[in-house]
Amino acid sequence: MEWMRRLTRFNQKHVPVIGFLAPILTTICLLSACQRAETPTPSQTKEDGVDSAAIYQEWAYREIFANTLGKAEEYAYRSAMLSKDSVMENSSMILLCYIYYREGKQDQLQMLMQTISPESYTNVMDIQWQVEQAKTNHERQLYAIAIILLLLISGIVCYWYIHRMRAQAVLYQHRIDRVRQELLSKESNPTEFATLSINEAKQGIDVLFAIINDQNISQMGKEEEQAVLKALPFIDAPLAALLAKASSPLTPKETYFCIMEYYGKNDRQKARSFCCSEQAIRSTKSRLNKKIDLSILHLE
């Protein structure tokens, strides 16, 4: 039964996030699929003879700016062999000449240059510009994909943060409403306050109110701590019971810290109430963990 309860809590907590991530992951998959569809693999060109020469030529360009000239030579050669018109064949031969030039294969370059027209000689060095252009276009695609991914990640983080803050606000308000109801019930039953003087009860409630509402409590000391500890059993009995589990007596600041932790205050809110840095709050938390398990104070 315990694992079923845990699974239910996990689903309730994460289903909204999963629902938000689903379209984002779908978009990423579609982008990836589109990119793959636009750049077929060599195995696909073998199965599909349509425009195979142009496809191999495109792959040759990509291998050139990836600086894998051996693969580029292979693809350019296949493109020349599969060309069905003189224009495609001539461009593939010029591309192959450029690859031979880059590889330093002078013999193959001279032999191939004899097979193309003299007018095409000047086009061999133009390949460099085409390679740079193709490389620039490829980099732009990568930048666009990176920007899209960063935007998606930013959206996920923002959504998670907003969802977390809303959930915390709901739990916090629930806790406040429960305390308010308990206070009202105590007022209708004044005999329960018989052990407390009016001044002690008022002071304890004022201290608790200041803590809950992020007021400045940096000047509060032992007197205020004792007042709130006396009032807590009548205001929030579960919290009073949790504080009693400390292995050693708590200082006033540690008591206030535990109350803040119980009511879901973050480090920034604690630091503002204590008029100190967040680093000091983390140091207090580290010392306090040796006296009491702070996890028992967290809102469910």
Side-chain angles (χ1 to χ4, degrees):
M1 294 299 293
E2 178 63 23
W3 69 269
M4 293 182 67
R5 287 195 293 270
R6 291 181 180 178
L7 181 61
T8 302
R9 287 198 298 270
F10 177 85
N11 288 335
Q12 291 174 347
K13 183 177 180 181
H14 292 83
V15 162
V17 178
I18 295 173
F20 177 76
L21 290 178
I24 294 176
L25 294 175
T26 302
T27 303
I28 295 175
C29 292
L30 288 174
L31 286 173
S32 178
C34 290
Q35 188 178 18
R36 290 189 182 127
E38 291 175 358
T39 56
T41 62
S43 60
Q44 291 174 323
T45 63
K46 293 178 181 178
E47 298 173 359
D48 187 0
V50 180
D51 291 333
S52 57
I55 293 172
Y56 275 120
Q57 191 176 102
E58 175 68 20
W59 273 81
Y61 276 113
R62 295 196 173 196
E63 296 298 334
I64 289 173
F65 67 70
N67 209 31
T68 51
L69 298 178
K71 279 288 186 182
E73 178 185 342
E74 178 185 348
Y75 292 145
Y77 179 80
R78 291 185 183 182
S79 177
M81 294 296 100
L82 294 172
S83 299
K84 297 180 180 179
D85 59 79
S86 58
V87 175
M88 176 60 69
E89 181 180 6
N90 190 52
S91 64
S92 298
M93 297 289 278
I94 292 172
L95 178 60
L96 193 55
C97 286
Y98 174 76
I99 295 172
Y100 284 152
Y101 167 76
R102 287 279 304 275
E103 291 179 314
K105 295 181 177 180
Q106 297 298 327
D107 294 340
Q108 292 92 327
L109 176 60
Q110 290 178 5
M111 291 179 60
L112 190 58
M113 291 285 282
Q114 295 174 2
T115 64
I116 62 177
S117 61
E119 293 82 6
S120 302
Y121 290 171
T122 57
N123 295 333
V124 174
M125 299 312 300
D126 289 341
I127 298 296
Q128 180 66 33
W129 178 86
Q130 296 178 29
V131 169
E132 293 298 330
Q133 190 69 24
K135 185 176 182 179
T136 301
N137 293 336
H138 183 67
E139 289 177 348
R140 285 176 180 172
Q141 291 178 359
L142 293 179
Y143 290 148
I145 292 174
I147 291 172
I148 291 172
L149 289 177
L150 286 175
L151 291 174
L152 290 176
I153 292 172
S154 299
I156 293 171
V157 171
C158 290
Y159 175 82
W160 171 83
Y161 179 77
I162 293 172
H163 177 75
R164 180 176 177 274
M165 293 304 294
R166 285 179 177 174
Q168 189 176 19
V170 170
L171 291 171
Y172 175 72
Q173 188 60 46
H174 175 72
R175 182 74 70 180
I176 296 297
D177 291 342
R178 197 186 67 165
V179 171
R180 185 179 292 111
Q181 290 174 1
E182 289 180 357
L183 283 173
L184 292 174
S185 66
K186 302 300 181 183
E187 288 178 1
S188 62
N189 243 336
T191 56
E192 295 189 17
F193 282 103
T195 58
L196 279 179
S197 68
I198 295 177
N199 289 336
E200 287 177 331
K202 181 180 183 304
Q203 187 178 19
I205 293 172
D206 287 344
V207 172
L208 185 61
F209 180 85
I211 293 173
I212 292 175
N213 289 277
D214 300 329
Q215 295 181 10
N216 184 352
I217 61 171
S218 60
Q219 301 303 315
M220 292 184 180
K222 192 69 175 179
E223 180 182 347
E224 290 81 4
E225 179 201 23
Q226 291 303 312
V228 76
L229 287 178
K230 288 180 180 179
L232 270 180
F234 304 101
I235 299 174
D236 197 329
L239 174 56
L242 292 174
L243 292 177
K245 293 183 179 181
S247 60
S248 59
L250 302 177
T251 65
K253 184 176 181 179
E254 290 171 344
T255 298
Y256 304 147
F257 188 100
C258 289
I259 295 174
M260 289 178 180
E261 193 78 13
Y262 179 77
Y263 283 100
K265 303 295 184 181
N266 56 40
D267 288 351
R268 183 179 301 176
Q269 291 172 308
K270 295 188 187 85
R272 186 166 57 246
S273 294
F274 283 122
C275 295
C276 65
S277 66
E278 292 186 34
Q279 179 60 41
I281 293 298
R282 288 189 285 270
S283 299
T284 300
K285 182 184 295 185
S286 178
R287 293 193 304 270
L288 191 54
N289 268 317
K290 298 176 183 179
K291 295 184 177 182
I292 186 172
D293 182 8
L294 292 176
S295 63
I296 65 175
L297 300 172
H298 295 164
L299 296 175
E300 298 179 356

